[in-house]
Structures are given as C-alpha cells and as structure tokens.
C-alpha cells in the first residue's frame, strides 16, 4: 500500500489548528465591562464592589505588575438561545487577557464571583471559561483579575526587576482581548478530545506497529468525513469514524495508571505569599466546579496551610471542600503544614510539619493523610522514613528524583529505609511529572519508564495545571475517560493516592529497598542561597525549642499560663517559611523581604516568652533572698557547672587565654588548645594539648576564605554547578589585623578585608578567631557586608585526618558521606547538607565543627608528599546569584562556627547544641533542677512541651544521637501519675504505662521516642 503516516499527522495538525479549535465556540455576544483598579494590595469583595467603576473596551491595556483589577461584567443571553436550549450547546463566558495561552499559568489569573460574592470559577490561560446557565438570562458577575507578571518567562534566567512591587515597572502587562458569552458546540469539543487522545497515542506507538497504522487510517477516514466549511455539521459523522479505534480494548498485560487530580501550588515562589492565598482560592473553585460535572473525578491537595487560608478568607469555598472531602471525592494528602524543603528543616520542625498538618486535617476534615506528598522538594533526608511513620503515615510519594543530573534512581516503587532502619513504602510517578495532562505521550512514558515492570503493573499520575494554571481541566478528565481501556495505552482510572498505594503494595510487598538519604543531583545551591532566611530559620527553630522548654516548666512548676495558641501560631509561620521555594532561597525578592521581617518578629515574640518563663522559674517570691546572676542552659550537656536543661550558678571561670605575638604569628593558648595564626588570619596549627595532636595538616592553612565564580548554566539561585571549582581565588590580603584580650579572659584575633568587585562595590569581611578560657573548641565569627556578584564564598579547613567519610547532622541523627569520588554517585555529591554539626574522624581521633546558620558544605581529600591524607572541609557561606532575586544575599550577614579537635561523635553532637543554644543570663533567687534528664549522654532531649490537646500533659521527645544502642533512664523533676509512649501525634503506641518519677527506655540507633507524662507533680 502506498501510504504516508507522516502526511496524515501533518494534515491532522492543520485541521485541528485552523478548523477544529475555532469551531468549538460560536454565536459570540458582546458584554459590557466596567473596571476599577485596587490601589495596591488585594481587597475584599465587599470593598471592591462598592467602588466607582469605569467603562472599558476590548483592547484595553491594563495591569501593572502585581496589581489587582476588578471588572464588573453585564449583558444578556439572546432570546434565540433561550428558546433553543439544546443539550449539544453550552452557554459559556469566554475570556482572554492577552496572555500566552501555550503556557498553563504564571501570568494573569482571575476569580469570578456572583453578585453575592460567592466564587464561581477561575480564569487561567488554559482554562479561560465560565459556565453560564441558559435560565440565567441576565449576565452579571465580577472578576478579580490579578496582573501577576511572568517572572520566569521562557526560563532564560535573565535578571528581572519583576520580583517586587517596588522594582517592577508601571507598564501595563495585559490586554483585554476577549470577554464575551458564546455557545460551546459539545460535539465539536468531543471530537477535539477524541483527537487529542488518539494523536498522542499514535506518536507513542512504534512506527511499525499495526495499531499505529490502524489509528492513522481511522484519523484519515475521520478527516475525510469532515466538511471543512461545516465542522459543526459534520462532527458527528467524523466522530463515528473514530469510534472503533477508541473502542478497541487494552492489552491484557498493559500498565495500569491511577490518575489523581492535582494542582502543585507553591506556597510562594515567583509570587509573594499573599498571591498563593488567591491561587489556592482560584484553583480550588475550579476543582469544585469540575466536581459538579464529574462524579468520578478525584482531587488530591496537600498543605494544611493552603486549606487554612481558604478557611479564613473564602468560607464558601471551604464549605464546598469539606462536603467533597466527606463524600470522598476530595483528598487532603501529605499531612504536612506545607510541602517543605526535604533537607534543611530541623528535627522538631520536620515533626511539626506533620503534627500541625495532621491536626488541621483531623479537626477540619475528620481524617488524617496516609501518604507523605513531596513531589517537588530538592532531595529527601534519611530521617524522613521514621518521621513520617511516627506521624501516622504509611507511604511516601515524590517525583523530583527524576531530575537527577548524573545517576538514575533505580526504582519507581520501592521501600525506602531511613537512617534508623524504618522503612516506608514509596513511589515516584514514572510519568516523571506531577502536572500531567494525561496525554498519550505522558501515559506511554509512564509505562516505558516504569522500573518495576514485570513485578508491578501500576503507577500513579497526578494530573492538573499547577501554580495558578487552575488545576485539572474537563479536557484532562475527557482524556482519562478515553484511556480507561484503550488498545496501545496504559489503562487509566481516576482514584486516590490511597487507592494506588493499597494496590501497589498488595501487588509488590517485596519491592526493592533504597537505603539512606535521597540526594538530589541538582539544585545544590539551595543549601546556601539567601543566607539571612536560613539564619532566621535556624535561630527561630532554636528559640521555639527553648520557649517550649521553659514555658512548659514554668506552667508545671508555678501554674503560669502556657502560651499554646501563640506557640502554635509561631510554629505555623515558621513552617510556612520552610516551604520548598522559600527556605531554599529560590523565590523572588518580595518573599525574602517579608520572610526576613517575619523571622525578626518571631524572634522578638519568642524571646519574650523565654524571658518571662525563666523569670517566673528562677524567682521564688516566697523567700526573701535577693536575685543574683543565674545561667539557663538549654543545651543537652552541662555547661559551666549548670546542668543540661537547668538554671544555676555559673562555675568559676578558667585562667585567661594567653595571646603571644611571635614574629609573623600569634599564638593563642589555654589549658586545652594552642592555636597558631598568621597575619592573614589563617590558622596554621590547632593543637590539642591533652594528646599533642594537631588538627591542621602540616603546610596547610585553615580558616581560609575561597572565592569562586558562581554562574550556573541554568537555575541560578538553585544550582551550584560542578564547574565552579575550576576557578578559585584565595583571599590572602588583610586590611586590618588586631589581637585583643577581652574582659572574660578570651583572646581574639580579628582581621578585616575589603574586597572590591568588578562593579566597583566593596564588600567587607571581618573574621574573628576567639579562644575562650578553658575552652576545648575554637570560636570563629564572620561579619560580612556582601556586595559581590555571581560569586560563591567558602571557608576552608584542611584537616590532618584520614577519613573515608564525614558525618553530617540531619534530623535526629547524621548521614555519612564519602570524602572520595569513586563512583558516579559519590562524584555527584559535591555539595551537601549539614545541620548544626559536621564530624570527621580516624579511629579514636576526630574533629568536630558546629555552625549557627550554614547548611551547604563540600569535602575533598588530597594526599601530601609524605603520603598523609588531608581531608578538606569547606563551608559555603554566601552566594550572589541574579535570578530570581537580582539582589540575593546583598548586604549584612553574620555567622558563627566552632571547631573542636580531639572530639568524638558525641562531642560533635553536643558542640552543635552548645553553639546554637548559648547560655542565657537570668536574674533570680532560685536554682532550677532540670525538668527532665536522660542518664545516657547519647540520648538527646530534643523537645519538651505541653500536649497539643490542651490536657496539660508533658510531652518529651528524645532520640539516640550517635548511631549506637543504649539504655537510658529518663527522670522527671517530680512524680507523675502516668507515663506512657506515643507517636508524634501524641497518641499512645502501646497500652503499657507506669507511674513515678522516671521511665527506663531502650534506644536503637537514631531511634526517636516520645514520652507523655500526666499528673506530674513538681517537687
Ligand atoms: Zn514546587
């Protein structure tokens, strides 16, 4: 047979573009439009609709970046339509704001309201219609139009001023191109859906497959059946030609897909937080409207924060959601407050993401999520399996690992084993997307790509436009219906993530295992970008721990009121700011202005709670004794004679540190350490006097600043590319050098550097090296005024240690990472995450580092001429990328480090807490014994708080921190009526309970245990 499949495909594409799409709507009737522009920030419906509106016409250019325009639209349905209410024609309002309709969102969006202020449905580039009833002859509604600028454009990553109201131009961005009522020809629309599915299927089948040729011939017959001058009149005949092709059943062994409706809405990113509130309202209104038409449509949405916004600001939408949740059509998923970053949130913060997420779901929807839902976060810490499992969750979903640059993750359906050994059943959608439109190409990819073929036959596909694209569309649902049982296609059924996990697990309970963290081989710069936000996060995580500790103690001991509502509000704000485009530093300037202010506000509020709680605790009004200076110690080890978690009198300080200038060098020395520093402020020797061993490799210099070019190929704020290592400038010259002896006996070397960039702007870097009296750790401080551009600043420590791997703190433990590049997996990890500490060691000897606000680091090894291995640790301090925030990291920063030679892993753990929980001075007349203590030093008391249910019970969360097994007696400052163990949601994990002043526990490596204590009478 002479035939060309290619020619048929080309003919089809032209028909769709030139004939079919223009035929979907007809009988357009103009509407009259008036407009009012809100002064700056969004306003409520009641306020907006009372304003003076002015007439505008089609062609009107409007919308400076971030502004809000309200349109009042009115008109009427022609009499002839009403008299002719055919089921084959639907009346609809059709709108075009002059955006790029080939892209799903990231541009102007609108929400339509009826005259009573109830949201009807949203408008987005690929979802630009409103339903209208023929019975409703008078057309009248409001549109709240958000002139959101397209910040990323075509992802060329050019610096842009669009990321803040104040820097964006006043120029209008949009044009009112279309706003009329028309009739949608349903048969023509159905034909378009038939073609969409078959077109995608054809190109996904092998060129020589019989099915491909059968489909091509059916398409050809369909095209022949069309009258080009009367598409509407010939659509039924055309569809008849496709009927057999669409009716052919799927192969017996075809892959199965559970399609769940979804809209990935970033809680802030290329728009400010306030816009996400409206994005959620718009998308959720669309979903409710779609559910009215399709009973089999299931929608999954994560993030309690998003629901809370809707509950607070759009009550009618929230009521609609609640009804659909109750009927099972709408599934809250994930159980988290937001889809946070997967690496940087601290131990308790990661727990609270689930505690407050599940709590909101329980209180508002009478359900809890059973699956963790983190499709887009940039890598996943090895602590998550234990954290999610203890939060009532049995499955884990992600998709991002398909973005790996170098190595392909070997599984799509697997068990993920965490650092403590907990396993959670996990899935990566093999379609490699969480914003599918259920095209033939995507479905075919899901099948071809699926790694577990032969053992498992099912994958999940989340479908729907995200980020203001409006979520799932009726076209996607049409595609799902057509692919339920279609030859050549996977079998698609709409369902929930629960449905998927239940089937996948029963089919393949013996799935393969991935152990440890899931390191994303991309976006390595997110551990460093926007340092002030990361510092605010670390500081407030610490202050929350302190505030809960001291406030719960003050309540139990003195009856002071526990600020539970305030603490929950602060937690929720902090958790929002851990969202996967906020904490990583990948959002626009507007977001960071707001987040830095919010962090500062939270700090003030938490310090008030801490100060008032400590004041109540440390002052006994019944004794006449006068107050003295006391020290509160929130760290898990005793400090200066004050017990862990206690308040006491500071012990006598040690002999002052000496500072001796010896020619080109300065020697700082106390009873523990001798430190040799050159005139550039570099540490040439850090000698532990007890065992006469130097931490610094001979001939190397530590505390050295390295400046690298940092211009990623793509994704500026996200990525540190491997090629950054090809350029390195060592900052040797100093402009000032001082040696100070301070009042507390510390000796300090201070250097100041001025660094003039090519732009002519000067950065200032002040470094201090401080050795406190009697201290076995050296303190390093940096005060930086940063004005570099596309540069990465690192702080280097070449350590004289032959280490195969380093231990980097993560939530409730550490992850070990190789110091070499033996395999492509090792090579890919050239920039990694640490929390408060990093530890490297040989047998019996190690060096610990602690930091107060940096997460990114790299480690490399070199061999000296004498054969000795040098393990170089470098902390990433600052970047200066240009997209999406052209001013990222400009301005003032401060950061602190500690380095301790002759350390064990336990010392490293404690050093991290010591730096992040500095001793706090309080005036009082009462020494306070710890509320709770652990007999085993390796068991860390991470959290002390009162129960979420308001019962007044004490909650204590502890974990084994060193990767070993141990017993520990947990003792309380009084006797309790009842002590038992719970999960993170504070629900009992066994029926056993005891009474008294202590409980004996056994810990596995990195195990987290939560103890609940009722009726505690403080002695
Ligand atoms: Zn995202």
């Amino acid at each position: 047979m002479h035939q060309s499949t290619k020619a048929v495909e080309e003919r089809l594409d032209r028909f769709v573009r030139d004939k079919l799409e223009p035929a979907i709507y007809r009988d357009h009737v103009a509407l009259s439009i008036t407009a009012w522009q809100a002064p700056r920030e969004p306003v409520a419906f009641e306020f907006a609709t009372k304003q003076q509106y002015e007439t505008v016409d089609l062609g009107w250019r409007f919308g400076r970046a971030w502004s809000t325009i309200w349109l009042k639209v009115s008109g009427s349905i022609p009499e002839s339509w009403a008299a002719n209410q055919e089921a084959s024609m639907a009346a609809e309002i059709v709108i075009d704001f002059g955006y790029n309709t080939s892209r799903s969102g990231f541009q102007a969006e609108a929400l339509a309201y009826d005259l009573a202020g109830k949201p009807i449905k949203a408008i987005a580039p690929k979802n630009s219609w409103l339903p209208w009833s023929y019975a409703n002859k008078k057309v009248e509604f409001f549109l709240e139009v958000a002139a959101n600028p397209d910040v990323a454009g075509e992802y060329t990553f050019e610096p842009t001023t669009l990321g803040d109201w104040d820097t964006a131009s006043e120029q209008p961005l949009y044009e009112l191109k279309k706003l009329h009522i028309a009739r949608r020809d349903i048969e023509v629309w159905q034909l378009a859906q038939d073609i969409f599915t078959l077109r995608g299927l054809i190109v996904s089948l092998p060129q020589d497959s019989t099915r491909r040729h059968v489909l091509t011939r059916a398409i050809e017959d369909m095209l022949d059946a069309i009258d080009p001058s009367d598409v509407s009149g010939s659509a039924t005949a055309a569809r008849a030609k496709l009927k057999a092709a669409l009716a052919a059943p799927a192969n017996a062994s075809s892959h199965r897909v559970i399609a769940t409706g979804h809209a990935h809405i970033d809680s802030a990113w290329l728009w400010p937080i306030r816009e996400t509130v409206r994005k959620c309202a718009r998308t959720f209104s669309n979903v409710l409207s779609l559910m009215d038409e399709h009973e089999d449509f299931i929608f999954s949405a994560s993030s309690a924060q998003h629901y809370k916004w809707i509950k607070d600001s759009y009550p009618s939408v929230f009521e609609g959601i609640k009804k659909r949740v109750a009927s099972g059509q709408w599934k809250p998923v994930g159980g988290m407050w937001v889809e946070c970053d997967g690496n940087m949130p601290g131990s308790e913060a990661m727990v609270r993401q689930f505690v407050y997420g599940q709590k909101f779901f329980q209180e508002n929807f009478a359900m809890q999520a059973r699956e963790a839902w983190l499709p887009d976060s940039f890598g996943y810490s090895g602590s998550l399996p234990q954290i999610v499992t203890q939060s009532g969750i049995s499955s884990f979903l992600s998709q991002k690992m398909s973005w790996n640059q170098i190595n392909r993750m070997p599984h799509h359906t697997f068990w993920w084993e965490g650092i403590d050994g907990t396993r959670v059943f996990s899935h990566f959608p093999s379609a490699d997307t969480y914003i599918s439109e259920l095209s033939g190409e995507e479905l075919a990819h899901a099948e071809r790509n699926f790694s577990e073929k032969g053992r498992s036959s099912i994958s999940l596909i989340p479908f729907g436009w995200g980020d203001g694209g409006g979520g799932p569309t009726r076209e996607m649902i049409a595609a799902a219906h057509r692919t339920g049982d279609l030859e050549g296609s996977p079998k698609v059924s709409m369902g929930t993530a629960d449905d998927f996990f239940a089937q996948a697990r029963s089919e393949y309970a013996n799935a393969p295992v991935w152990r440890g963290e899931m390191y994303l081989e991309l976006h390595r710069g997110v551990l460093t970008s926007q340092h002030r936000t990361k510092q605010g996060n670390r500081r407030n995580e610490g202050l929350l721990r302190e505030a809960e500790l001291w406030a719960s103690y003050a309540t139990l001991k003195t009856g002071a009121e526990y600020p539970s509502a305030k603490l929950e509000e602060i937690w929720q704000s902090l958790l929002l700011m851990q969202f996967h485009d906020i904490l990583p530093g990948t959002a626009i300037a507007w977001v960071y202005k707001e987040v830095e202010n919010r962090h500062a506000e939270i700090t003030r509020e938490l310090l008030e709670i801490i100060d008032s709680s400590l004041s109540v605790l440390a002052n006994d009004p019944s004794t006449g004794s006068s107050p003295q200076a006391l020290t509160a110690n929130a760290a898990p080890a005793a400090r200066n004679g004050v017990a862990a978690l206690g308040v006491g009198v500071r012990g006598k300080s040690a002999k002052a540190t000496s500072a001796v200038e010896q020619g080109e060098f300065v020697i700082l020395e106390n009873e523990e350490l001798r430190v040799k520093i050159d005139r550039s402020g570099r540490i040439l020797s850090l000698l532990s006097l007890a065992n006469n061993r130097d931490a610094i490799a001979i001939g190397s210099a530590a505390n050295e600043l390295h400046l690298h070019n940092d211009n990623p190929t793509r994704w500026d704020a996200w990525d540190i590319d491997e090629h950054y290592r090809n350029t390195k400038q060592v900052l040797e010259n100093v402009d000032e050098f001082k040696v100070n002896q301070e009042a507390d006996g510390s000796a300090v070397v201070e250097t100041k550097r001025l660094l003039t960039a090519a732009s002519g702007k000067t950065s200032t870097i002040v470094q201090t090296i401080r050795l406190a009296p009697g201290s076995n750790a050296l303190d390093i401080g940096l005060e930086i005024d940063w004005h570099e551009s596309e540069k990465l600043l690192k702080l280097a420590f070449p350590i004289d240690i032959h280490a195969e791997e380093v231990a980097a703190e993560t939530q409730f433990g550490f992850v070990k990472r190789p110091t070499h590049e033996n395999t492509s997996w090792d090579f890919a990890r050239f920039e990694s995450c640490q929390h408060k500490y990093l530890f490297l060691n040989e047998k019996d000897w190690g060096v610990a580092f602690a930091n107060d606000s940096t997460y990114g680091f790299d480690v490399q090894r070199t061999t000296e001429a004498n054969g000795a291995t040098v393990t170089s640790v470098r902390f990433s301090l600052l970047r200066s990328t240009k997209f999406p925030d052209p001013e990222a990291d400009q301005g003032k920063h401060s950061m602190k480090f500690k380095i301790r030679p002759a350390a064990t892993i336990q010392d490293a753990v404690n050093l991290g807490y010591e730096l992040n929980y500095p001793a706090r001075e309080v005036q009082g007349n009462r020494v306070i014994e710890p509320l709770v203590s652990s007999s085993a030093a390796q068991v860390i008391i991470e959290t002390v708080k009162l129960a979420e249910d308001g019962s007044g019970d004490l909650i204590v969360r502890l974990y084994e921190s060193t990767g070993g097994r141990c017993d520990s007696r947990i003792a309380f400052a009084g006797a309790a009526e009842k002590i038992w163990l719970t999960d993170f949601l504070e629900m009992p994990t066994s029926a056993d309970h005891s009474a008294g002043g202590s409980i004996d526990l056994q810990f596995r490596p990195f195990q987290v245990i939560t103890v609940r204590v009722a009726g505690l009478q403080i002695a």
Side-chain angles (χ1 to χ4, degrees):
M1 182 166 70
H2 300 289
Q3 62 177 16
S4 164
T5 55
K6 191 83 199 134
V8 174
E9 287 165 25
E10 281 180 24
R11 183 183 167 201
L12 174 66
D13 291 344
R14 180 157 188 214
F15 164 68
V16 169
R17 186 187 68 222
D18 292 354
K19 303 288 184 197
L20 184 64
E21 285 177 355
I24 289 175
Y25 283 107
R26 61 190 213 195
D27 308 330
H28 310 166
V29 173
L31 298 168
S32 60
I33 309 155
T34 58
W36 171 76
Q37 171 152 354
R40 182 159 166 157
E41 285 299 277
V43 298
F45 175 86
E46 294 71 26
F47 181 85
T49 50
K50 287 196 183 74
Q51 306 306 312
Q52 282 293 321
Y53 283 65
E54 287 175 13
T55 302
V56 295
D57 297 314
L58 295 184
W60 178 51
R61 294 197 59 82
F62 70 97
R64 70 90 83 198
W66 306 116
S67 64
T68 297
I69 294 90
W70 285 78
L71 302 180
K72 187 174 183 184
V73 183
S74 54
S76 52
I77 290 186
E79 282 301 322
S80 60
W81 290 14
N84 180 22
Q85 291 178 16
E86 303 162 54
S88 62
M89 295 285 175
E92 288 177 8
I93 314 287
V94 185
I95 299 169
D96 183 350
F97 296 125
Y99 31 43
N100 176 355
T101 51
S102 70
R103 299 184 47 217
S104 61
F106 301 93
Q107 304 166 72
E109 303 164 53
L111 183 59
Y113 296 84
D114 67 16
L115 297 187
K118 187 169 183 283
I120 304 170
K121 184 184 164 294
I123 296 296
K126 283 181 178 285
N127 192 342
S128 56
W129 58 278
L130 299 175
W132 204 264
S133 158
Y134 285 117
N136 205 353
K137 285 181 192 158
K138 201 165 172 214
V139 175
E140 221 169 3
F141 63 94
F142 285 93
L143 271 177
E144 181 193 18
V145 189
N148 297 334
D150 187 359
V151 174
E154 300 299 321
Y155 288 93
T156 53
F157 308 102
E158 277 169 66
T160 169
T161 55
L162 286 169
D164 192 5
W165 180 292
D166 294 324
T167 54
S169 116
E170 293 286 337
Q171 291 304 309
L173 298 173
Y174 297 101
E175 181 187 341
L176 189 59
K177 278 197 162 164
K178 202 186 279 177
L179 207 175
H180 56 233
I181 188 161
R183 290 202 290 175
R184 180 166 60 100
D185 187 323
I186 290 170
E187 191 69 355
V188 173
W189 180 87
Q190 294 283 12
L191 175 60
Q193 310 320 309
D194 294 345
I195 292 171
F196 174 80
T197 289
L198 293 179
R199 177 78 174 86
L201 179 56
I202 287 172
V203 296
S204 305
L205 291 167
Q207 287 281 357
D208 55 1
S209 85
T210 301
R211 175 67 168 158
R212 181 166 181 152
H213 285 261
V214 167
L215 293 178
T216 306
R217 300 283 75 91
I219 290 285
E220 196 168 34
D221 294 346
M222 179 277 293
L223 290 167
D224 292 340
I226 282 284
D227 175 351
S229 62
D230 184 12
V231 173
S232 177
S234 52
T236 301
R239 290 194 73 202
K241 299 291 184 190
L242 299 177
K243 203 170 169 198
L246 284 163
N251 304 327
S253 62
S254 63
H255 185 66
R256 294 181 298 137
V257 167
I258 299 260
T260 197
H262 185 52
H264 181 76
I265 301 178
D266 291 296
S267 304
W269 179 26
L270 301 174
W271 51 87
I273 292 167
R274 64 91 155 146
E275 194 54 36
T276 315
V277 181
R278 299 200 295 178
K279 282 181 191 285
C280 291
R282 292 185 285 254
T283 296
F284 292 174
S285 300
N286 279 350
V287 169
L288 291 174
S289 159
L290 203 55
M291 283 181 176
D292 291 340
E293 303 298 318
H294 301 279
E295 280 183 1
D296 58 343
F297 163 51
I298 305 280
F299 182 69
S300 302
S302 70
S303 304
Q305 171 71 84
H306 295 185
Y307 291 103
K308 182 167 190 296
W309 282 330
I310 298 303
K311 184 182 182 185
D312 293 347
S313 303
Y314 298 87
S316 71
V317 178
F318 193 69
E319 283 311 306
I321 293 172
K322 279 178 81 165
K323 276 198 199 108
R324 294 296 181 180
V325 172
S327 74
Q329 232 182 321
W330 186 303
K331 283 286 180 185
V333 292
M336 301 180 80
W337 192 250
V338 295
E339 291 180 19
C340 67
D341 179 74
N343 285 306
M344 291 178 280
S347 305
E348 185 63 18
M350 196 62 108
V351 170
R352 297 297 173 95
Q353 288 284 358
F354 290 94
V355 168
Y356 292 123
Q358 295 282 45
K359 187 177 173 184
F360 187 92
F361 286 1
Q362 186 66 52
E363 286 175 359
N364 291 277
F365 305 127
M367 54 75 69
Q368 289 176 0
R370 296 278 167 243
E371 67 296 289
W373 185 278
L374 285 170
D376 194 31
S377 303
F378 311 141
Y380 305 89
S381 92
S383 314
L384 278 166
Q386 180 172 213
I387 293 174
V388 305
T389 302
Q390 292 215 37
S391 302
I393 279 170
S394 53
S395 310
F396 183 91
L397 178 124
S398 177
Q399 189 279 312
K400 202 68 179 180
M401 300 308 293
S402 69
W403 287 43
N404 266 5
Q405 273 175 323
I406 298 166
N407 299 286
R408 182 186 143 98
M409 290 291 283
H411 316 300
H412 287 103
T413 294
F414 60 104
W415 288 95
W416 180 23
E417 181 181 307
I419 57 170
D420 69 308
T422 302
R423 289 182 179 182
V424 60
F425 195 77
S426 301
H427 181 68
F428 301 152
S430 54
D432 287 343
T433 179
Y434 45 86
I435 45 172
S436 171
E437 54 178 324
L438 301 180
S439 69
E441 292 92 329
E442 287 167 332
L443 294 172
H445 182 71
E447 174 157 12
R448 276 198 303 268
N449 191 40
F450 186 56
S451 303
E452 277 66 43
K453 279 198 283 283
R455 293 285 176 207
S456 173
S457 65
I458 190 165
S459 65
L460 183 76
I461 296 190
F463 69 94
W465 304 124
D467 284 338
T473 62
R474 58 189 176 195
E475 287 78 13
M476 295 171 192
I477 290 173
H481 290 155
R482 281 161 177 75
T483 48
D485 191 10
L486 179 64
E487 187 190 348
S489 166
K491 283 193 212 174
V492 176
S493 59
M494 286 189 280
T496 64
D498 267 353
D499 297 337
F500 164 76
F501 278 113
Q503 292 184 49
R505 192 192 287 234
S506 74
E507 185 181 64
Y508 199 26
N510 191 27
V513 178
W514 177 268
R515 185 209 146 269
E517 70 174 329
M518 295 202 275
Y519 177 98
L520 180 66
E521 296 174 356
L522 192 73
H523 295 355
R524 300 168 184 86
V526 302
L527 303 170
T528 306
S529 295
Q530 300 283 6
H531 169 260
R532 280 186 295 267
T533 288
K534 292 177 166 64
Q535 184 164 54
N537 177 70
R538 179 77 67 79
R539 182 181 69 235
N540 287 328
E541 283 181 347
L543 291 175
L544 269 161
R545 176 173 174 273
E546 279 194 79
E548 290 187 334
L549 165 68
W550 302 126
S552 50
Y553 201 173
T555 300
L556 291 172
K557 191 172 175 73
T558 72
E561 196 187 343
Y562 188 69
S564 52
K566 188 75 207 167
L567 287 166
E568 183 166 348
E569 179 195 313
I570 293 173
W571 266 116
Q572 290 177 357
S573 190
L574 179 100
L575 298 177
L576 167 61
M577 294 188 286
Q578 293 181 336
F579 174 72
H580 68 256
D581 281 307
I582 300 180
L583 184 55
T586 50
I588 54 174
W590 189 333
V591 173
Y592 293 106
K593 221 157 64 174
E594 184 178 350
V595 164
E596 287 175 25
N597 286 336
R598 275 201 196 199
H599 272 305
E601 178 66 24
I602 287 176
T603 299
R604 276 192 295 277
E605 292 174 338
L606 289 171
L607 285 173
E608 270 174 32
I609 294 172
I610 292 167
D611 289 347
S612 65
S613 301
L614 281 173
S615 173
V616 166
L617 277 172
N619 284 286
D620 184 354
S622 67
T623 74
S625 54
S626 53
Q628 57 171 327
L630 299 175
T631 295
N633 178 20
R639 166 157 53 194
N640 297 118
V642 180
L645 311 190
V647 181
V649 183
R650 223 180 147 85
K652 272 211 308 214
S653 52
K655 202 169 118 233
T657 304
S658 69
V660 178
E661 303 206 33
Q662 287 182 350
E664 283 302 292
F665 308 107
V666 177
I667 310 292
L668 308 185
E669 186 168 340
N670 66 10
E671 291 94 330
E672 299 283 339
L673 301 176
R674 184 186 300 140
V675 190
K676 184 177 178 185
I677 301 161
D678 72 8
R679 295 276 160 181
S680 290
R682 294 183 299 192
I683 300 167
L684 305 183
S685 165
L686 173 58
L687 191 74
S688 161
L689 295 171
N691 46 27
N692 195 33
R693 180 164 172 179
D694 200 337
I696 311 301
I698 295 170
S700 305
N703 193 37
E704 189 171 73
L705 288 163
H706 295 169
L707 193 66
H708 294 269
N709 287 342
D710 178 23
N711 54 334
T713 308
R714 309 181 71 224
W715 299 106
D716 296 37
W718 291 255
D719 287 354
I720 290 176
D721 284 347
E722 193 268 330
H723 58 71
Y724 92 91
R725 296 190 285 200
N726 299 344
T727 59
K728 180 171 90 176
Q729 183 191 353
V730 177
L731 303 185
E732 290 181 338
N733 297 335
V734 295
D735 296 275
E736 285 177 28
F737 183 91
K738 285 192 284 201
V739 182
N740 298 324
Q741 198 79 47
E742 300 201 333
D744 70 349
S746 297
V748 181
V749 169
E750 181 179 311
T751 59
K752 183 175 183 179
R753 285 184 168 80
L754 302 177
L755 197 63
T756 302
S759 64
K761 289 182 181 163
T762 299
S763 298
T764 312
I765 305 174
V766 176
Q767 265 174 299
T768 53
I769 304 168
R770 176 188 307 267
L771 185 58
S775 176
N776 51 21
L778 191 65
D779 288 290
I780 290 171
L782 292 112
E783 297 291 330
I784 304 177
D785 189 12
W786 187 241
H787 298 285
E788 286 291 329
S789 171
E790 295 175 309
K791 292 281 191 289
L792 166 64
L793 185 66
K794 284 193 168 242
L795 185 63
F797 295 89
I799 302 299
D800 188 10
I801 274 188
H802 181 74
E804 293 299 314
E805 51 201 4
V806 295
E809 193 195 19
T810 184
Q811 300 89 3
F812 302 113
F814 56 79
V815 54
K816 281 191 168 179
R817 296 200 185 85
T819 59
H820 54 75
E821 298 181 347
N822 274 8
T823 69
S824 59
W825 296 86
D826 302 328
F827 166 75
R829 297 175 191 199
F830 55 82
E831 182 81 13
S832 303
C833 181
Q834 56 165 352
H835 285 193
K836 301 186 293 291
Y837 72 80
L838 192 71
F839 179 64
L840 51 160
N841 68 319
E842 290 172 1
K843 186 172 182 294
D844 303 331
W845 209 81
V847 173
F849 293 90
N851 72 80
D852 79 334
S853 56
T854 58
Y855 293 86
F857 76 95
D858 74 274
V859 57
Q860 294 167 51
R861 52 199 276 142
T862 50
T863 302
E864 298 297 282
N866 66 1
T869 303
V870 179
T871 306
S872 288
V873 171
R874 299 195 308 159
F875 300 103
S876 301
L877 305 183
L878 290 172
R879 303 183 69 202
S880 38
T881 53
K882 297 284 158 206
F883 183 89
D885 176 3
E887 297 291 317
D889 276 325
Q890 302 298 298
K892 296 209 163 63
H893 302 268
S894 69
M895 44 196 87
K896 290 185 181 134
F897 292 89
K898 275 182 182 286
I899 168 170
R900 175 172 173 182
T904 62
I905 181 66
Q906 181 74 67
D907 296 328
V909 172
N910 291 346
L911 196 68
Y913 281 93
E914 189 185 326
L915 177 59
N916 284 271
Y917 296 88
R920 204 170 280 289
E921 298 304 315
V922 55
Q923 289 291 314
N925 63 4
R926 175 160 64 185
V927 166
I928 299 290
E929 295 307 315
L931 174 59
V932 52
S933 62
S934 159
S935 64
Q938 71 209 74
V939 171
I940 302 288
I941 300 167
E942 177 63 21
T943 304
V944 177
K945 64 188 272 285
L946 295 192
E948 292 297 321
D949 62 7
S951 60
D953 291 355
L954 181 70
I955 302 289
V956 179
R957 194 160 4 261
L958 313 101
Y959 70 102
E960 197 294 316
S961 63
T962 63
R965 204 171 284 264
C966 73
D967 296 338
S968 183
R969 170 160 292 182
I970 311 306
F972 303 95
E977 287 166 15
K978 202 169 134 187
I979 306 173
W980 69 106
L981 306 187
T982 74
D983 61 12
F984 291 167
L985 307 180
E986 302 173 8
M987 300 306 286
T989 49
S990 81
D992 302 338
H993 55 80
S994 56
S998 67
I999 182 171
D1000 292 332
L1001 298 174
Q1002 286 91 47
F1003 285 81
R1004 296 191 308 269
F1006 301 130
Q1007 186 181 9
V1008 187
I1009 295 180
T1010 304
V1011 179
R1012 183 163 180 153
V1013 185
L1016 182 61
Q1017 296 295 322
I1018 306 285

